[in-house]
């Protein structure tokens, strides 16, 4: 691993990309501790200490995706989840509106879709920022402590919160784009990755404190650590598992050159969508949870919704599982359309071994369904691990979330994707990356 790090830093282009990525991630971490103008940090800490379990539970849930920024009422408190929510809405609209899907497939249309996504992000930010101001009022009603400085009126605080939260999210999206274009890996995924890593020290401190106080059984911790290692190994194998579809291409004449017949394969991952279904499902459930938890105490039916959508409740678990499986199939169909794959194979004079040309779509659809279903069920199981840990072992939420679920999937998935990106750059310069003799990734 040390030799690999040395080789990475010797490549000028890669060294520059890594430094840019680290500096931009540091900027986002600084933004998570800068409070919105008008927020009293001392009063905020006192308010959360006296808040009811419902408010604390919502804070921990939203802190997970913002890297602790939500409990600080910082300018980055909404994180990149509004952007992901806007992406989900656009993806769903593409199914409903065929012209929108055709637009997305065109080079110029893709830029328009990106523009629509940005405008959608602003709308979602405004809605969630309004909930933040209402959430501040709920905390004050529960604890009697105002988190707003006396020099700010309610109206001024609401206006500043709308501007600050929207600007903070759009700044994070911009930073994510810069990482994608000038750094290594996917920028948005790395921002979420950095937020989860930043929560690990606090989770470890809470775990040690619980053991010292006797609230957490040391035997349970050992069992969960063994389970965590096993889950990491399973996730790595699942992320790297592929089904190879062998394709044979006949001789072709291109200009004055004749290309001979050749055989290749299409690698279909067991989990083609990666961690996207889990993030999409979490983002889709976050909005109703925010609405119900924020205005629930004042509206009776919303209070019932908030109770039903408790992350440890059966309804939430059921909806979460269904959404993960549904998004896994949906995202796979969007990114790996069997009709388009079969068309490309036929257009290039190819054929799948043992499959008639007119049966390619049916064959590819059957193969995708067979590999996506177990992959989606595995994703749903991993995503529910933190809830099971809380229910069975009674661990605090910020500790349970680190033992599996979305955090584990994101950490492993983003780590593998980033290392593949680094490996690709290293191979361009040296012909050798992390992979050695096809035995896997060094350093894992």
């Amino acid at each position: 691993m040390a030799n690999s790090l040395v080789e990475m830093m010797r490549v000028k282009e890669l060294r520059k990309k890594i430094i840019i990525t680290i500096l931009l991630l540091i900027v986002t971490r600084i933004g998570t501790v800068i409070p919105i103008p008008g927020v009293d940090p001392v009063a905020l800490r006192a308010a959360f200490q006296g808040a009811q379990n419902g408010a604390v539970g919502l804070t921990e849930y939203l802190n997970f995706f913002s890297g602790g920024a939500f409990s600080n009422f910082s300018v980055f408190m909404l994180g990149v989840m509004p952007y992901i929510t806007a992406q989900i809405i656009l993806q769903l609209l593409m199914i409903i509106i065929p012209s929108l899907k055709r637009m997305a497939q065109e080079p110029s249309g893709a830029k328009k879709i990106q523009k629509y996504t940005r405008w959608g992000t602003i709308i979602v930010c405004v809605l969630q920022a309004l909930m933040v101001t209402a959430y501040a009022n709920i905390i004050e009603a529960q604890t009697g402590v105002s988190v707003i400085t006396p020099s700010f009126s309610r109206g001024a605080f609401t206006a500043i919160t709308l501007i600050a939260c929207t600007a903070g999210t759009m700044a994070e999206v911009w930073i994510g784009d810069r990482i994608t274009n000038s750094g290594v890996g996917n920028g948005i995924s790395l921002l979420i990755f950095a937020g989860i890593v930043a929560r690990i020290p606090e989770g470890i401190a809470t775990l040690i404190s619980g053991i010292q106080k006797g609230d957490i059984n040391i035997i349970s911790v050992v069992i969960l650590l063994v389970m965590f290692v096993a889950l990491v190994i399973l996730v790595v194998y699942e992320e790297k598992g592929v089904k190879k579809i062998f394709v044979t291409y006949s001789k072709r004449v291109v200009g004055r050159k004749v290309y001979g017949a050749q055989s290749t394969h299409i690698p279909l991952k067991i989990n083609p969508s990666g961690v996207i279904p889990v993030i999409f499902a979490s983002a889709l459930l976050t909005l109703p949870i925010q609405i119900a938890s924020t205005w629930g105490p004042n509206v009776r039916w919303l209070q019932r919704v908030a109770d039903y959508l408790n992350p440890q409740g059966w309804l939430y678990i059921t909806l979460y599982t269904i959404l993960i499986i549904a998004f896994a199939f949906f995202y796979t169909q969007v990114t790996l359309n069997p009709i388009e794959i079969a068309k490309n194979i036929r257009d290039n004079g190819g054929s799948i071994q043992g499959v008639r040309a007119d049966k390619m779509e049916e064959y590819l659809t059957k193969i995708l369904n067979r590999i996506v279903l177990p992959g989606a069920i595995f994703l749903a199981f991993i995503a529910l691990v933190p809830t099971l840990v809380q229910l069975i072992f009674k661990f605090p939420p910020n500790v349970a979330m680190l033992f599996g679920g979305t955090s584990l999937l994101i950490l492993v998935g983003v780590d593998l994707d980033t290392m593949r990106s680094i490996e690709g750059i290293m191979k361009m310069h040296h012909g050798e990356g992390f992979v050695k003799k096809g035995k896997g990734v060094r350093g894992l």
Side-chain angles (χ1 to χ4, degrees), residues 57-58 60-62 64-65 81 277-290 292-293 304-325 380 383-388 390-391 401 405-406:
L58 176 64
E60 287 297 336
Y61 182 81
L62 296 175
F64 172 75
F65 294 103
M81 296 311 291
V278 180
I279 296 177
F280 276 15
S282 300
L284 204 61
L285 285 176
T286 297
L287 190 59
I289 287 176
Q290 277 185 292
S293 299
R304 288 198 295 269
V305 171
D307 294 337
Y308 284 133
L309 288 179
N310 178 4
Q312 297 184 27
W314 65 269
L315 180 61
Y316 177 89
I317 293 174
T318 303
L319 288 175
Y320 196 34
T321 303
I322 292 173
L323 285 174
I324 289 173
I325 295 174
L384 292 175
V385 166
T387 302
L388 299 177
Q390 291 181 65
L391 291 174
M401 286 181 179
T406 312

Side-chain angles (χ1 to χ4, degrees), residues 75-250:
V75 292
F76 286 172
M77 68 182 300
L78 298 181
V80 293
M81 296 311 291
Y83 178 73
I84 295 174
T85 304
Q87 281 187 320
I88 296 172
I89 295 171
L90 261 296
Q91 294 282 357
L92 294 175
L93 287 176
M94 286 181 194
I95 299 176
I96 301 170
I97 307 173
S99 59
L100 200 62
K101 184 177 180 180
R102 288 194 296 270
M103 180 192 299
Q105 293 172 346
E106 300 172 359
S108 60
K111 293 182 179 179
K112 290 182 180 179
I113 294 296
Q114 188 66 18
K115 183 179 179 181
Y116 295 156
T117 305
R118 300 296 172 88
W119 282 108
T121 303
I122 293 174
I123 294 172
V124 176
C125 283
V126 170
L127 293 174
Q128 291 192 335
L130 286 173
M131 295 175 200
V132 167
T133 58
Y135 186 61
N137 295 333
I138 296 298
I139 292 177
E140 181 180 352
Q142 291 181 356
T143 62
V145 179
S146 176
V147 301
I148 306 172
T149 55
S151 58
F152 278 77
S153 64
R154 298 287 178 183
F157 178 72
T158 300
I160 290 175
T161 300
L162 290 176
I163 296 171
C165 288
T166 303
T169 294
M170 297 310 295
E172 283 206 270
V173 172
W174 181 85
I175 289 172
D177 287 343
R178 297 287 72 73
I179 292 175
T180 302
N181 296 330
S182 305
V184 290
N186 182 282
I188 299 297
S189 298
L190 280 171
L191 292 180
I192 301 175
F193 177 91
I196 295 172
V197 171
R199 300 282 291 166
I200 291 177
E202 181 183 344
I204 294 174
T206 303
L207 185 64
I208 295 173
S209 176
I211 294 173
Q212 291 175 343
K213 293 178 181 178
D215 297 333
I216 298 176
N217 192 329
I218 186 66
I219 297 177
S220 299
V221 176
V222 173
I223 293 173
L224 286 176
L225 286 174
V226 173
M227 185 179 71
F228 176 77
V229 173
L231 287 175
V232 170
I233 295 172
L234 286 174
V235 171
V236 171
Y237 271 99
E238 189 259 352
E239 285 287 331
K240 300 180 71 175
V242 295
K243 166 69 175 177
K244 295 180 180 180
I245 305 296
F246 291 94
V247 180
T248 302
Y249 291 95
S250 59

